[in-house]
DNA sequence: ACTTTGAGCGTACATCTGTACGCTAATTTA
DNA sequence: TAAATTAGCGTACAGATGTACGCTCAAAGT
């Protein structure tokens, strides 16, 4: 069991992480946050920050990991929904858009730091995205009988298109998101269809 | 003709733009540059900066416009090469990778600011990318007989995949870029094939 | 009951930032 | 030729930043 002291520490740590997430929005990226701003929002003295993180980078990496986890958990829930029947693509896209809407800031940090200036950050985001890709590749390889290479290329393309649409959707109103989602579904179908065609060509 | 004075001013302005481009690299984004740093690199006093740009944002937008222009010019040259025969996809990808290699910083600013924190920047980058998409959509609509909607979705998917691969390629060594390029070609073929299949389905 | 630990604080400092202001000197205009 | 314009400079300042240092005092350990 956790002592009173450890509990309080954990609480403050959470306050820091939450403070950082809350400060993210379309005009504010993680790298533009200062240690002092985060500390201010979390209502602790700037110097107390160091009791929890070595520096802002460490906080950021924590956020990326946490964000990736949240994301995967939510998508997994969506997949369960898909098992009930219906178009896997459609349901996945809808789930994704819902996640996007309810956790925009989790997305922002992933999307922004993916092309950010810190190599460790980029690596961390790449790792998270890699989870999605390989899960999807295995799924496709098994259910649609693709060669490993093709399954991999296909999964990568799908994830790329989805994430990219996600980035665009972040700035949009609901109506425009709907249009975007519809187009995304078409694009994903293109990839799926095309991959199938390439597989057939290889098979004969 | 341009007076001595105007010539000198233009020269300094260029020095500022070049200085900014030169400071960009994997660890340094435009938004992390300070006015003073740029001025220092261009060898003018910080306050002289204002004789040329209202602020750093104005410099940045100039760079985005210039970068987009450079990019389109180079891709156009590549397309001429494609007209001589061969796979359009393969040649376009190769051209793209060459451009990437010779102008990495032009790319960096576009890729980074695409998901950056400044709305005007994002809009400017979106505008540049839109050029590519619509050129490509028209091309596909004409030569491959797609419906406008399908051509648009296809072009968007292609450009997304290419730009995304470009972002990944920026950090890579030549060998890995080759692998990436090959996979990209496969993915683009998927989209093209799949789009064709969807079009046929619509036609009947 | 005692000592030790450590989360959080306040003060302090060097460094960097954007930019206001006024000057100079060379070019342009009249 | 005299007057007006303006690119570039130097000085100056207020504000923000990261972080070193030492203190307090409640909890944990003995």
């Amino acid at each position: 069991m956790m002592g009173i002291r450890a509990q309080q520490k954990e609480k403050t740590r959470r306050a820091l992480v939450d403070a950082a997430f809350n400060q993210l929005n379309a005009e504010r990226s993680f790298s533009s946050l200062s240690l002092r701003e985060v500390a201010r929002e979390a209502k602790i003295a700037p110097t107390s920050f160091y009791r929890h993180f070595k520096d802002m980078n460490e906080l950021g990496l924590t956020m990326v990991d946490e964000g990736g986890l949240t994301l995967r958990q939510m998508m997994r829930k969506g997949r369960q929904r898909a098992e009930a029947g219906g178009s896997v693509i459609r349901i996945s896209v809808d789930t994704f858009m819902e996640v996007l809407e309810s956790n925009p800031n989790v997305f922002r940090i992933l999307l922004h730091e993916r092309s950010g200036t810190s190599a460790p950050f980029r690596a961390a985001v790449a790792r998270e995205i890699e989870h999605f890709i390989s899960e999807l590749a295995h799924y496709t390889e098994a259910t649609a009988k693709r060669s490993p290479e093709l399954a991999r290329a296909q999964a990568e393309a799908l994830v790329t298109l989805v994430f990219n649409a996600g980035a665009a959707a972040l700035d949009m109103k609901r109506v425009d998101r709907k249009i975007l989602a519809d187009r995304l579904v078409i694009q994903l179908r293109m990839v799926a269809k095309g991959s199938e065609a390439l597989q057939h060509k290889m098979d004969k």
Side-chain angles (χ1 to χ4, degrees), chain A:
Chain A
M1 97 187 195
M2 222 181 351
I4 291 185
R5 196 164 192 135
Q7 270 179 43
Q8 180 52 43
K9 179 165 186 180
E10 180 55 29
K11 212 171 153 189
T12 309
R13 188 188 147 101
R14 267 252 64 80
L16 280 169
V17 174
D18 291 344
F21 268 121
N22 285 335
Q23 310 223 14
L24 296 182
N25 59 53
E27 281 81 36
R28 215 79 166 66
S29 73
F30 174 78
S31 53
S32 81
L33 296 183
S34 77
L35 182 153
R36 288 175 104 106
E37 279 177 308
V38 175
R40 213 175 297 138
E41 176 89 5
K43 301 184 183 196
I44 64 167
T47 49
S48 301
F49 180 95
Y50 298 105
R51 301 287 183 197
H52 304 273
F53 301 100
K54 190 179 139 286
D55 53 24
M56 283 293 285
N57 264 343
E58 206 173 284
L59 206 211
L61 290 176
T62 301
M63 291 168 74
V64 170
D65 287 353
E66 226 176 81
L69 190 64
T70 307
L71 220 61
R72 258 176 291 144
Q73 284 172 343
M74 301 203 67
M75 288 307 289
R76 209 163 291 156
K77 267 194 211 164
R79 216 170 309 149
Q80 287 168 6
R81 214 192 315 169
E83 279 167 14
S87 156
V88 183
I89 288 183
R90 183 82 242 181
I91 292 173
S92 299
V93 168
D94 288 346
T95 305
F96 185 81
M97 289 296 167
E98 281 166 31
V99 177
L100 194 83
E101 191 152 1
S102 56
N103 302 64
N105 290 350
V106 165
F107 255 89
R108 281 186 217 285
I109 192 166
L110 291 175
L111 289 171
H112 189 95
E113 299 309 328
R114 178 171 63 138
S115 62
T117 52
S118 156
F121 270 60
R122 286 199 303 274
V125 175
R127 216 179 305 129
E128 295 300 331
I129 293 184
E130 176 57 32
H131 282 304
F132 284 96
I133 294 178
S134 68
E135 270 189 44
L136 191 53
H138 284 125
Y139 176 82
T140 315
E141 204 180 323
T143 67
K145 299 207 177 122
R146 295 277 186 284
S147 76
E149 297 77 28
L150 218 54
R152 168 81 201 185
Q154 178 183 352
E156 220 180 84
L158 293 173
V159 172
T160 299
L161 290 171
V162 171
F163 265 72
N164 204 274
L170 268 179
D171 286 341
M172 291 181 172
K173 298 201 205 75
R174 241 208 196 84
V175 203
D176 296 318
R177 276 191 203 183
K178 177 102 191 52
I179 298 172
L180 184 84
D182 289 344
R183 181 138 61 206
L184 175 58
V185 168
I186 292 176
Q187 293 170 334
L188 298 181
R189 287 203 214 285
M190 280 184 191
V191 173
K193 275 271 171 204
S195 168
E196 197 184 317
L198 288 182
Q199 182 67 57
H200 283 160
K201 208 192 272 182
M202 277 177 60
D203 286 344
K204 39 170 196 193

